[in-house]
């Protein structure tokens, strides 16, 4: 059986969630079963529609509110993230998936919506064959230590700085 | 009308082609027409099957041979890359697409299969609304200068170094 790895996509640059989407697409093409958990975000996204349309081999769940965290996270932000982590733990335990993606879960850590101990516990419960993919800015060292692959997306240039706002179909 | 940008994904880390795939997925979800040109690579890939299955809004063409360049590129490698650039120029000129992706074209530059002048000329011929996405390691400064967004994928850790080889559905 294929050995599953733990992959992390972190850093301030554009491309983390996008890479997780690309990995999902590739995995669907190869016939794998995927669970895609999106933390923090609860808004509708173009890519989620496309993935759902593409295949019944992918299950997508959002565990975030309908707006981004502005200053301080609320009690509802925390409840949503904790519910997400609990759901992922159950999904891993079910053994029904080949690939589990926790998109933006590192941001949930950063805002202290979940603890790094709880996240590590969930990741370490994975069966041998399962691939885990984790994204979000500001990955702490404890996460990097247990990962097999870590890519840091470094922002060299970004058009946000030119005043171009997030565009449907490109950023979301 | 939406202003189109020039995006570059470069660096040694995993996630460049994967991000381009994710962008395609998002753009399909939003109803855009996409041309995905894959340079250097000519082998079958899981993600290409999945994308083709997903939508008739994406056209995928490979302009590479069936094996990677090992030492020195051959005349056939060069012909394939130049044919690719010519096709992309025609595609841009046709005005039929919203997003044009040149995956691994920077590697074609690196191997001198095409010139940076020819590539810049093609990119600069894009209509205002068109988004151009370019990937590959070792982006030269001339390319970075004309881009609106540049993300460098930096390899912090990679499982290739642990002896894990490329896996179907994960790397290809």
């Amino acid at each position: 059986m294929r050995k599953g790895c733990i992959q992390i996509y972190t850093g301030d640059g554009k491309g983390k969630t996008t890479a997780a989407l690309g990995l999902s697409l590739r995995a669907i093409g190869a016939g794998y079963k995927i669970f895609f958990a999106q933390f923090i975000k609860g808004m509708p996204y173009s890519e989620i529609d496309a993935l759902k349309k593409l295949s019944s081999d992918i299950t997508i769940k959002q565990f975030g509110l309908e707006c981004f965290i502005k200053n301080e996270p609320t009690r509802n932000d925390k409840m949503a993230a904790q519910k997400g982590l609990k759901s992922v733990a159950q999904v891993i335990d079910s053994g029904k998936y080949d690939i589990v993606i926790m998109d933006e879960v590192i941001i949930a850590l950063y805002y202290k919506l979940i603890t790094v101990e709880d996240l590590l516990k969930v990741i370490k419960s994975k069966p041998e064959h399962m691939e885990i993919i984790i994204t979000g800015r500001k990955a702490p060292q404890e996460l990097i230590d247990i990962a097999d692959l870590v890519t840091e997306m470094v922002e060299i240039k970004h058009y946000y700085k030119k005043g171009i706002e997030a565009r449907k179909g490109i950023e979301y």
Side-chain angles (χ1 to χ4, degrees), chain A residues 87-96 125-127 130:
Chain A
S87 296
V88 170
Q90 286 165 351
V91 157
I92 290 178
D93 198 45
S94 77
K96 284 187 194 153
S125 74
K126 88 171 188 69
M130 186 185 279

Side-chain angles (χ1 to χ4, degrees), chain A residues 38-52:
Chain A
Q38 197 159 42
F39 288 79
I40 307 292
K41 297 168 181 169
M43 326 66 165
Y45 286 97
S46 309
E47 63 261 28
I48 292 191
D49 292 344
L51 275 177
K52 281 185 181 163

Side-chain angles (χ1 to χ4, degrees), chain A residues 70-121:
Chain A
K70 288 267 167 61
N71 303 307
E72 283 298 302
T74 64
R75 196 165 160 267
N76 284 343
D77 287 313
K78 192 165 183 174
M79 278 171 62
Q82 294 203 343
K83 188 180 162 200
L85 193 60
K86 205 169 163 183
S87 296
V88 170
Q90 286 165 351
V91 157
I92 290 178
D93 198 45
S94 77
K96 284 187 194 153
Y97 294 88
D98 302 295
I99 297 174
V100 172
I101 298 171
M102 286 184 261
D103 185 43
E104 301 291 13
V105 75
I106 307 179
I107 289 297
L109 266 187
Y110 175 73
Y111 279 114
K112 299 191 181 14
L113 307 180
I114 56 170
T115 67
V116 72
E117 293 75 21
D118 285 346
L119 179 59
L120 289 174
K121 201 173 144 193

Side-chain angles (χ1 to χ4, degrees), chain A residues 14-15 17-18 21 38 41 44-47 68 104 158-160 164-172:
Chain A
K14 178 170 162 68
T17 295
T18 329
L21 290 170
Q38 197 159 42
K41 297 168 181 169
Y45 286 97
S46 309
E47 63 261 28
F68 281 116
E104 301 291 13
H158 202 305
Y159 40 52
Y160 287 162
I164 295 173
E165 292 188 9
R167 299 162 298 161
K168 180 170 167 64
I170 306 289
E171 272 77 38
Y172 64 93

Side-chain angles (χ1 to χ4, degrees), chain A residues 3-9 85 92 102 105-106 109 115-126 130-134 139-151:
Chain A
K3 189 194 170 302
C5 291
I6 300 165
Q7 302 186 30
I8 293 180
Y9 295 92
L85 193 60
I92 290 178
M102 286 184 261
V105 75
I106 307 179
L109 266 187
T115 67
V116 72
E117 293 75 21
D118 285 346
L119 179 59
L120 289 174
K121 201 173 144 193
V122 170
I123 295 170
K124 286 178 184 168
S125 74
K126 88 171 188 69
M130 186 185 279
E131 190 89 8
I132 302 247
I133 293 152
I134 298 168
Q141 193 57 45
E142 298 98 304
L143 264 190
I144 291 174
D145 288 343
I146 64 150
D148 300 293
L149 177 142
V150 180
T151 298

